[in-house]
Structures are given as C-alpha cells and as structure tokens.
Amino acid sequence: MDHLEELEAEAIYIMREVAAECEKPVMLYSIGKDSSVMLHLALKAFYPEKPPFPFLHVNTTWKFKEMIAFRDETAARLGIELLEYINEDGVRQGINPFDHGSAYTDVMKTQALRQALDRYGFTAAFGGGRRDEEKSRAKERIFSFRNENHAWDPKNQRPEMWKLFNTQIQKGESIRVFPLSNWTEADIWQYIRREDIPIVSLYYAKPRPVVSRNGNLIMVDDERMRLLPGEKVETKMVRFRTLGCYPLTGGVESEAVTLDEIVKETLAAVESERTSRVIDSDGGASSMEKRKREGYF
Amino acid sequence: MAEREQGITIDVAYRYFKTGKRSFIVADTPGHEEYTRNMAVGASFAELAVILVDATHGVLIQTKRHARICALMGIRSFVFAVNKMDLVHYSEQRFAKIEKDIRILMAEFDAVRVQIIPVSATEGDNITARSKRMQWYKGACLLAYLETADVIKDKGSEGFLMAVQRVCRPNHAFRGFQGQPASGGIAVGDTVRVYPSKETAAVAEILVGDKRVSSCEAGQPVTLCLDREIDVSRGCVLERESTVKTGAMLAVSVLWMDDKSLAPGRNFLMKLGTQTVPATILNIKYKVDINTGAEVFAEMIYKNEIAFCEIALGSKIVYDTFENSRELGSLILIDRITNMTSACGIVEHALLRENNLTWQDTDVTRALRETQLGQKAFTVWMTGLSGAGKSALANELEKRLFSMGRHTMLLDGDNVRLGLNKDLGFEEKDRIENIRRIAEVARLMNDAGLIVLTAFISPFCLDRRMAREIIGTEFTEVYVSTPLAECERRDVKGLYKAARAGKIAQFTGVSSVYEVPEHPEVVIDTTGRSVEECVDEIMTELKKSGLLPS
C-alpha cells in the first residue's frame, strides 16, 4: 500500500467506527475539494450500502452559483440525503458580507452550524479539517469533543491510542470527527487526480467577470455584488484555489483548464505557501484555539 | 515552556513532509514526565521513533523513559539522534561512549532495530547530508536513513486476522463484513474461522472499497462476504491460522492517564479491537518505575504511571497478546461517568486461574428453583442517606412479601459489616469490595430462587452500577430520597450529631458526597408518609415490571 492508500484506509476505518458506534452522525458538506474527497471516501467506506448518515450543507446564502448547482447535481447523481441549513434569523436581519465583516461569519457560519446540529440532534459530525491547515489544528485529535455549548476544551483532549477511538459521550455533548486529519493539501489534490473525483467547475480557469480589490480578484457572481467607486468589472481568465462566499473569495489568473494542469499548478503553489506558513504568528494560533474553544468548527 | 506562556496547550503536534522517496507524518511529543501520556499518544500511532540525546549530557533518565514508553506502545524501530555534536567538538570517543550506553539500554527490549546517528541540528551535520566534520561516522545521515528504513510492523502472527467493524446489509441479497485486516491476506475460496463462535465458512466475495477483487492484504479497507449464513456481528473476529484466544480474565500492563487515581475494584468500559465490554480491575500486582524499569509495590496508581494488573471482563472477548497482535492485544479503559479515556494498555497474557475455573452449570437451574418456590427471583436495591428510611422500608417490604408466601432474604448494612465483611474498612478499595461482595451474595441468593432486599447507603453511582451488572436484569433500584435535613432531624443512631462534631470522618451527606441515582426504578421521599404507603408504591412497581404477579 502506498501513502495515499494508507490515508484512504485510515479515513474509511474512522468513518466505519463512527457509523457503528455513534447514535446520530452527519457529514458536513461544504462543496469544496476536501468535502468532495470526504464524500468519495464515504461512498467507498460503506459500499454497496449508501453512507448510513445524511450530509449537511450550512448555506450562508452567499455561495457561488456554480457551487450550489454542483451540490444539487452531486446529491441527485449519488442519491444521498442532503440537508441544507440557513440561519433564517441572520437572513431576516440582513446580515451580509459587505456590512458586517466578522459578525457575518459568526452569524451565518458558526452559529448556523450550531443551530443545525442542535435542530437535528446530531451526536457526531464529520468535518474535512486537516492538521496541516493551521497551528491549533495540528494538535487537535481526530475525535474532538464538544460540550453542550459546542465549545472545545483543548487542555482536556482524550488521549487517542492506536485505532481505539473512544466515542462515549454524555447527553447534549457531541463529537467532531476529522477523518482527513493526516492528509496534506498535496495529498488531497493527488487523490482527486488518482480517483478522478468530480470537483466544482470554479477550480478550473474560465473567463469570468471580476473586479480587482486589495490585490484579490473578486468575482461578480450576481447582482448583489457592491462595487466601490472606481471599480470596473473586467473579464479575466480566472480560477479559484479555495471556495467560500463569493464576495470574500479571491481568484487567481490562470490558464489551467484540465485536472492535470490544476494539480500541477496547485502543487507548485502549495510548496511556496508551506514556506510562508512556517512564519505563521503564534498570536494567530492562540486566537484560532480561542475561537474553537467558543464553538468554531 | 514557550507554549505554556502563550496559553497554548502542550500536546502532540503533528507535522507533515514529503521527500522524493517517502511521505512522513511526524508526531512531535513533549518529553517531560508529566506529559508521558502525550508521548504515548504519539508513540501508539508511529512506526518508528526518533529519540534525541544531548551529546553533552549522554543517556539520561529521560532517554530511558522515552525508550520505555515507545517500546510499550509497540514501536520496534528506533533512531537515536545524538545531537549537539558541535558542542563536543565532533568527538568520536564521546559518541562511542554514548553509543555503548544506548546499546546497553536497548538490550532490555526484544526485537528492536536501533540506529544511532551523531548530528548537530543547528549546524546541519548528518541531517540531510553526510557531515564532513564526522568522517569517522560511516552510516547514513538522518533523512537518508528515515527515507529507506524498513520499519518493523506487526512482528507477530502472519495469519489473516480482521476485527469486524460493521455488517453491511444494503438489501436481502448482500451481507458483507467490513473491517481492516490487521495481518495476513485472504483470497476468494479461502476458509475463515469466526470468533467467538468458531464456526467456519469460505470467502465468497471480497471488496476493497468499492472494487471487487479476488484477494486482499493487511491494512486495506475491505468488505468480505461468506458462502453461508453464520452469526457474525460487530466485535467478532475473522481469522485464518492466527493465534487468537477467547477469555474473560487478562493480565495487562496499563498506562494510567486520568487525573483520578486507580484503585483495585474499579469498574470501566474496556475497548479492545471493535469490542466494548465492562471491565473490573481485580488487583494491582506492581507498578513499573518508568525511569528504571524496576517493579515496585503499589496500592494505587496515579497519572502517568505504568502498572501490571489483572482484570476481569463482563463477558468473554476475542483477544491475543500484544506481542502476537498489536490490534487484538491493545486496549483502552473508559471511565463510566466522565467517559474519559482513563488508561491504555496491552495484553501480557491470559490469567491461568481462569483456565482452571469454569462456571459449572448445574442440573438444578435457577428456573427450576424458581418454579419449585413458585416465584420469580429478583433483587430490590435500596439506596439513600443514613436515616432516609431504607431499613424500615426493606423490613416492611420483606414482611409484606413473606405474608404473601414469598421466600425472601434481607441484607442490611450493619449486619453484613458485622459478619461477611468484617475485614473491610471504609477506604475506597474496601468500599468497592463491600458492595461487590453484597452484590455477589445477592446474585447467589437469586440463583437459589430467593427474593433479595438490600439496604445500604451505597452513595456512588459507579458502585451501584457494578451491583446492577453483577446481579443482572432482575434488579430494581429504589432511591429513598428523603432530604438531608429530614434525615438529620431523625438522627436515629445519633450519627449526624457525631459527624457534625467531627467525630466521624467521611460521613455521607455531611463530609462525603451522595451521588443521586440517574435512572432508579422507584424514587421515594419518606418525609411525612407512612411506611405502609411507601411500600405500596414499591409493590406497584414490582407488579408493573412483572417481577410479582399483579
């Protein structure tokens, strides 16, 4: 078995343990590349059975149209149960990424997720988090426990020994499970190429209407986009390396239109990013740990 | 230290890198003794350990501790990086002395591969390239060694072995058993044996992920279908030519990881492979001095200590020694109240005692005795504060049952302590043993067909849970919930007065906690009520649950 096969086997083992031991699991599905890999692994893990849990998309209502189309097409093609949750309170209050900054992320993402998990009573939620993403994640276990307020206590993590995952919880508590913990971004892309996993078209370069803002290329995905004085919409050959809410996600100019080209371009970029990530400020790591104690996924 | 000042948790940190030859996952673990459990977490995951030795200090107590933890968790490949060689002027003599000490240390562990490399991390000597300043060292540099090291995985059984994680049953036509083989391969047509039933069947179909294949190997995520219907569920083990065993009593080495200490008698959930069963620590044989390896007498085990103990399981499990099978010989103990992973451990051997003792089924069974007596046997367990009314209720209930022609026995706290348990004191391990003996006696009497009533304060949830597990399903817990103030007002035996005056240590309700039952079958507050009225309520519950005819 090579490294990718070992990572795949580890993730499948984890998913099967959760399905066998946890009362009401759910898999978070954010439509991005990590979610695509996780979904692909879940299909393999339980085959010929369908994954024995639903998938949950927390929608901020500001996602790219191509993401939502891909999401719906994927769910229909695979015949999986997909739940969508929108924080309707936030929508009524008109919370948006232009006026509300970090409050927007808190209300439409963090709080929305907590509401969704409480509403359905999920006891375990798979997330696509990887330990190479940032410093506080590097110390988080694969099975990460949350109290009834969805808060994490990093000082009281359960020791995780061998493959013996302890899934016991009290009523009201829940578990976040990260089956991709040991994957790197490079592993994700190589696995997508090897397994030929469908990903959102936004990862491929295409002429798209964009404005240049603070050095980022922001796509004008619908009429809600607000232009600042002097900003001009141009059509550029652009693709996205990460996906999120369109007004907050910067694209890069690229000519990569095949999976091979994307993977090649991304792997080159991953290397340079790794170098810059080494000097990640420690204050940043502490503040991330703080956010997670408060219930950030 | 820097981490602590910043308020960041000191724990295992995972880092990832890749070279042209190999992908690496590094579990960077703290080395100080108070973080032993964190090192164990990293070591349990690893195939190879790199242990740093400071060339200016040589082999220290901590070096020995690190090697011992890694070996305990199953690592068989070691690299000792003798660092700071620049500070000892790249001295070959200095290195030779340290190398000799390491060889002596590692001779303690069997079947290990040891590589010792002189390095200077700050100067870059022998890290990614051979150092020109240590021409006397002829081996590979650290990175080159790691890239090519042949890691020893499971050195035990080569035969096929797989713990079943789940049964996959998408429709009536398909029934597959999903898991990850711990060792060996298997092919379509091969015969496997299912434990614990020991039935055999041939492999009819193999899936690796979503692909049909003719054979599979250890480590792959597989689904196996057998050629005939036999009883297989999660926790079963499929094997071929391996050395698995079944049993309910084991000798284990545990690394204790909980803030609470470990006392004999304590009850846990044990997870081994894909099996989870209740487990009781029978005794602590000794603890291992983690720094020297010496065996030391111990009554209690504290956080980060290693102990050799004997444990009894709630039911038979399928296991092997850790030496034979890393997967079926490793275990965790889970606290039944906090759910914390309190300990991890490895199976050293079966308890021979168990082989000499087998439960003898007698021809006159409990059911026959019950029929002869014309009743169903069960136990009513009264719990509550001193003075709550347990004994009065038990006494009245027994009279009521007796007058109905039932055969009963009442076990009362003081009476048992004056006889059967007169050798026991009031410290934790004695208190657990007190309850255990009472529960075992209640069970024997139930087996004799008798109805048993008990009246003990039994203030701790864990102890009551143990009693429930020993006695079985015919168990009715009655929580006599009379409030402390009322109990203290009654103070029949004058004990509260004495406790308030400081004359009785650890008195429940005054200086020791009473844990309220979470799911008692009956709750009765006797305040302002007659004994008869309260017993009526218990009788109603016993009829409702079918233990007494209605």
Side-chain angles (χ1 to χ4, degrees):
Chain A
M1 290 172 77
D2 66 17
H3 187 64
L4 282 181
E5 285 169 330
E6 283 180 2
L7 289 173
E8 177 189 65
E10 179 188 56
I12 289 177
Y13 187 87
I14 292 162
M15 289 180 186
R16 288 172 172 174
E17 282 299 282
V18 170
E21 291 202 343
C22 296
E23 200 182 323
K24 199 168 180 198
V26 66
M27 184 170 279
L28 298 185
Y29 180 71
S30 66
I31 319 176
K33 61 185 192 307
D34 301 308
S35 279
S36 294
V37 166
M38 211 164 47
L39 166 59
H40 182 81
L41 289 164
L43 293 169
K44 277 192 162 191
F46 303 103
Y47 184 87
E49 201 180 324
K50 290 266 191 267
F53 41 74
F55 291 74
L56 172 67
H57 177 226
V58 175
N59 191 351
T60 59
T61 71
W62 290 89
K63 300 293 175 191
F64 289 91
K65 287 196 294 270
E66 284 172 67
M67 288 172 74
I68 301 300
F70 177 84
R71 177 194 77 182
D72 295 341
E73 184 270 321
T74 300
R77 175 168 49 84
L78 301 174
I80 54 168
E81 184 187 357
L82 180 83
L83 308 168
E84 179 187 61
Y85 186 86
I86 296 172
N87 183 352
E88 296 295 350
D89 269 355
V91 173
R92 262 192 299 279
Q93 290 168 43
I95 304 288
N96 69 71
F98 303 109
D99 301 321
H100 301 102
S102 66
Y104 161 76
T105 308
D106 179 55
V107 172
M108 298 309 286
K109 278 183 159 169
T110 309
Q111 292 197 38
L113 173 65
R114 288 163 54 161
Q115 289 168 5
L117 296 179
D118 287 344
R119 151 94 60 98
Y120 293 101
F122 292 121
T123 58
F126 291 106
R130 291 177 279 109
R131 288 193 183 123
D132 78 334
E133 282 176 66
E134 43 88 20
K135 272 196 170 182
S136 83
R137 185 78 91 198
K139 293 179 183 179
E140 191 162 3
R141 306 271 194 257
I142 294 171
F143 283 65
S144 190
F145 295 82
R146 300 291 189 272
N147 67 16
E148 60 279 9
N149 299 318
H150 297 274
W152 182 49
D153 180 2
K155 290 194 165 41
N156 197 26
Q157 296 203 82
R158 291 185 191 171
E160 212 156 70
M161 321 303 295
W162 299 291
K163 287 154 61 183
L164 293 167
F165 301 108
N166 171 2
T167 61
Q168 307 284 328
I169 50 169
Q170 314 272 7
K171 206 168 162 50
E173 294 174 345
S174 59
I175 318 176
R176 307 288 182 271
V177 185
F178 302 106
L180 306 182
S181 285
N182 286 321
W183 296 53
T184 62
E185 186 171 4
D187 294 326
I188 293 284
W189 281 110
Q190 276 158 356
Y191 188 72
I192 287 172
R193 180 167 56 182
R194 180 195 283 195
E195 299 281 307
D196 205 12
I197 300 171
I199 48 171
V200 188
S201 46
L202 290 157
Y203 287 113
Y204 296 86
K206 199 176 110 172
R208 303 177 195 274
V210 292
V211 294
S212 181
R213 182 178 291 175
N214 304 327
N216 290 314
L217 294 173
I218 305 292
M219 182 164 153
V220 182
D221 196 44
D222 60 31
E223 70 295 340
R224 295 179 296 174
M225 177 70 185
R226 293 188 204 161
L227 296 185
L228 299 174
E231 276 183 346
K232 222 171 73 220
V233 180
E234 302 167 273
T235 299
K236 285 188 172 164
M237 195 66 176
V238 166
R239 66 180 211 88
F240 294 86
R241 289 193 45 210
T242 58
L243 296 180
C245 303
Y246 81 80
L248 302 176
T249 308
V252 290
E253 285 195 81
S254 166
E255 299 294 325
V257 292
T258 67
L259 190 53
D260 273 343
E261 285 167 1
I262 294 173
V263 172
K264 206 170 140 211
E265 196 178 282
T266 310
L267 292 188
V270 166
E271 291 314 312
S272 68
E273 194 179 42
R274 174 89 23 84
T275 335
S276 63
R277 199 173 285 159
V278 172
I279 47 171
D280 230 342
S281 83
D282 281 337
S286 299
S287 73
M288 190 61 186
E289 189 169 304
K290 182 171 170 288
R291 277 165 74 192
K292 279 164 54 169
R293 283 183 198 146
E294 289 160 1
Y296 188 81
F297 198 81
Chain B
M1 282 307 153
E3 287 188 341
R4 184 162 11 196
E5 283 155 20
Q6 289 163 20
I8 294 189
T9 312
I10 299 177
D11 210 323
V12 186
Y14 296 85
R15 296 168 215 284
Y16 303 82
F17 71 95
K18 195 169 286 195
T19 69
K21 294 189 178 127
R22 199 171 242 181
S23 295
F24 294 88
I25 302 177
V26 181
D28 184 2
T29 69
H32 193 270
E33 192 161 355
E34 74 180 281
Y35 302 114
T36 292
R37 66 173 194 167
N38 303 95
M39 178 171 280
V41 167
S44 80
F45 172 78
E47 292 166 324
L48 178 147
V50 178
I51 295 180
L52 287 174
V53 178
D54 185 330
T56 63
H57 293 124
V59 170
L60 296 175
I61 288 278
Q62 66 171 19
T63 316
K64 297 177 181 176
R65 183 173 70 243
H66 298 167
R68 191 160 287 112
I69 296 164
C70 291
L72 177 76
M73 303 310 289
I75 295 180
R76 293 287 173 266
S77 304
F78 287 81
V79 173
F80 286 84
V82 180
N83 192 23
K84 303 191 187 173
M85 285 302 291
D86 52 318
L87 297 185
V88 296
H89 314 293
Y90 302 103
S91 159
E92 184 177 4
Q93 286 73 25
R94 178 68 189 150
F95 179 73
K97 164 79 174 76
I98 295 170
E99 183 174 24
K100 192 169 152 235
D101 290 345
I102 293 172
R103 298 277 173 209
I104 292 169
L105 166 66
M106 296 311 287
E108 190 185 314
F109 312 108
D110 47 317
V112 295
R113 182 171 294 159
V114 179
Q115 179 76 14
I116 306 170
I117 307 177
V119 303
S120 167
T122 52
E123 303 299 314
D125 293 288
N126 280 338
I127 303 291
T128 57
R130 286 278 303 277
S131 166
K132 293 198 173 58
R133 287 177 283 218
M134 288 181 277
Q135 300 282 359
W136 45 266
Y137 172 74
K138 303 298 180 203
C141 69
L142 181 61
L143 186 65
Y145 181 80
L146 294 177
E147 281 183 322
T148 53
D150 184 14
V151 288
I152 308 170
K153 294 200 175 173
D154 214 326
K155 80 171 182 79
S157 143
E158 293 300 307
F160 173 78
L161 182 69
M162 184 181 99
V164 175
Q165 286 189 278
R166 68 188 294 274
V167 179
C168 174
R169 208 173 321 174
N171 53 54
H172 294 304
F174 189 95
R175 187 157 179 266
F177 308 112
Q178 302 190 312
Q180 186 180 23
S183 62
I186 197 96
V188 170
D190 287 347
T191 301
V192 291
R193 189 181 295 274
V194 179
Y195 275 81
S197 74
K198 297 188 185 165
E199 285 189 273
T200 58
V203 175
E205 191 178 339
I206 303 175
L207 295 171
V208 170
D210 54 359
K211 303 258 181 331
R212 272 187 178 69
V213 292
S214 56
S215 67
C216 64
E217 55 174 290
Q220 291 185 314
V222 307
T223 304
L224 299 183
C225 300
L226 303 179
D227 69 339
R228 62 192 192 91
E229 281 277 321
I230 52 177
D231 189 21
V232 181
S233 55
R234 175 173 167 86
C236 289
V237 173
L238 307 180
E239 66 91 38
R240 182 180 157 87
E241 291 162 12
S242 76
T243 56
V244 296
K245 302 156 182 74
T246 60
M249 283 175 101
L250 304 172
V252 300
S253 289
V254 298
L255 168 62
W256 190 250
M257 306 190 289
D258 208 320
D259 291 330
K260 281 192 294 184
S261 56
L262 169 68
R266 194 32 95 212
N267 189 262
F268 299 89
L269 278 182
M270 182 184 95
K271 186 169 182 183
L272 182 152
T274 54
Q275 305 160 94
T276 303
V277 295
T280 306
I281 305 286
L282 294 176
N283 56 53
I284 298 166
K285 287 286 176 193
Y286 55 81
K287 73 175 179 185
V288 178
D289 183 317
I290 201 165
N291 293 320
T292 65
E295 295 170 7
V296 187
F297 171 78
E299 277 198 323
M300 303 272 269
I301 296 298
Y302 299 94
K303 192 170 173 181
N304 292 323
E305 291 185 336
I306 296 172
F308 187 92
C309 352
E310 297 181 337
I311 57 176
L313 308 176
S315 58
K316 278 199 174 187
I317 58 153
V318 187
Y319 72 96
D320 206 338
T321 59
F322 189 67
E323 200 180 5
N324 281 335
S325 167
R326 191 157 159 165
E327 191 155 321
L328 282 189
S330 57
L331 56 98
I332 55 170
L333 298 177
I334 301 168
D335 186 289
R336 306 193 67 168
I337 301 287
T338 64
N339 291 323
M340 191 64 184
T341 305
S342 297
C344 64
I346 62 173
V347 178
E348 299 283 6
H349 56 75
L351 278 187
L352 293 174
R353 202 155 77 222
E354 185 193 13
N355 294 347
N356 301 334
L357 291 178
T358 42
W359 180 264
Q360 288 297 324
D361 285 324
T362 47
D363 290 337
V364 179
T365 61
R366 171 167 173 169
L368 283 173
R369 293 180 220 273
E370 286 179 329
T371 310
Q372 189 184 42
L373 296 175
Q375 65 182 25
K376 194 160 175 45
F378 57 88
T379 296
V380 176
W381 190 280
M382 309 254 186
T383 170
L385 295 171
S386 176
K390 298 180 299 297
S391 295
L393 288 181
N395 199 40
E396 175 63 23
L397 178 61
E398 184 170 39
K399 281 197 289 187
R400 195 84 66 91
L401 292 167
F402 188 82
S403 68
M404 290 163 63
R406 304 285 142 182
H407 305 269
T408 59
M409 183 63 200
L410 170 58
L411 299 176
D412 189 79
D414 287 355
N415 299 357
V416 170
R417 280 215 177 256
L418 287 170
L420 176 67
N421 290 353
K422 69 178 169 196
D423 57 325
L424 299 179
F426 288 88
E427 52 196 290
E428 190 187 11
K429 72 175 176 26
D430 284 358
R431 197 197 69 227
I432 298 170
E433 178 62 11
N434 182 44
I435 299 292
R436 189 190 71 80
R437 286 187 199 171
I438 292 159
E440 290 286 0
V441 167
R443 196 184 103 169
L444 282 174
M445 290 185 170
N446 282 161
D447 283 348
L450 300 177
I451 294 168
V452 179
L453 314 172
T454 73
F456 300 91
I457 298 174
S458 45
F460 297 100
C461 285
L462 265 178
D463 296 349
R464 293 190 300 264
R465 178 145 34 168
M466 172 176 70
R468 191 185 279 267
E469 263 155 22
I470 290 170
I471 292 166
T473 48
E474 273 69 46
F475 183 95
T476 299
E477 185 173 359
V478 176
Y479 170 37
V480 186
S481 66
T482 316
L484 178 62
E486 172 67 12
C487 296
E488 201 160 353
R489 190 190 61 75
R490 296 177 186 170
D491 206 4
V492 191
K493 301 176 194 165
L495 295 172
Y496 283 98
K497 207 167 159 202
R500 291 287 179 205
K503 288 179 189 151
I504 308 175
Q506 302 276 301
F507 190 74
T508 303
V510 176
S511 46
S512 177
V513 68
Y514 177 84
E515 294 173 2
V516 172
E518 283 174 27
H519 308 289
E521 276 78 8
V522 185
V523 183
I524 292 184
D525 181 350
T526 60
T527 313
R529 299 178 69 189
S530 73
V531 177
E532 289 73 23
E533 200 183 322
C534 296
V535 168
D536 285 346
E537 209 172 302
I538 301 173
M539 291 294 287
T540 308
E541 169 60 29
L542 293 173
K543 286 173 185 164
K544 205 176 81 193
S545 59
L547 294 171
L548 289 175
S550 39

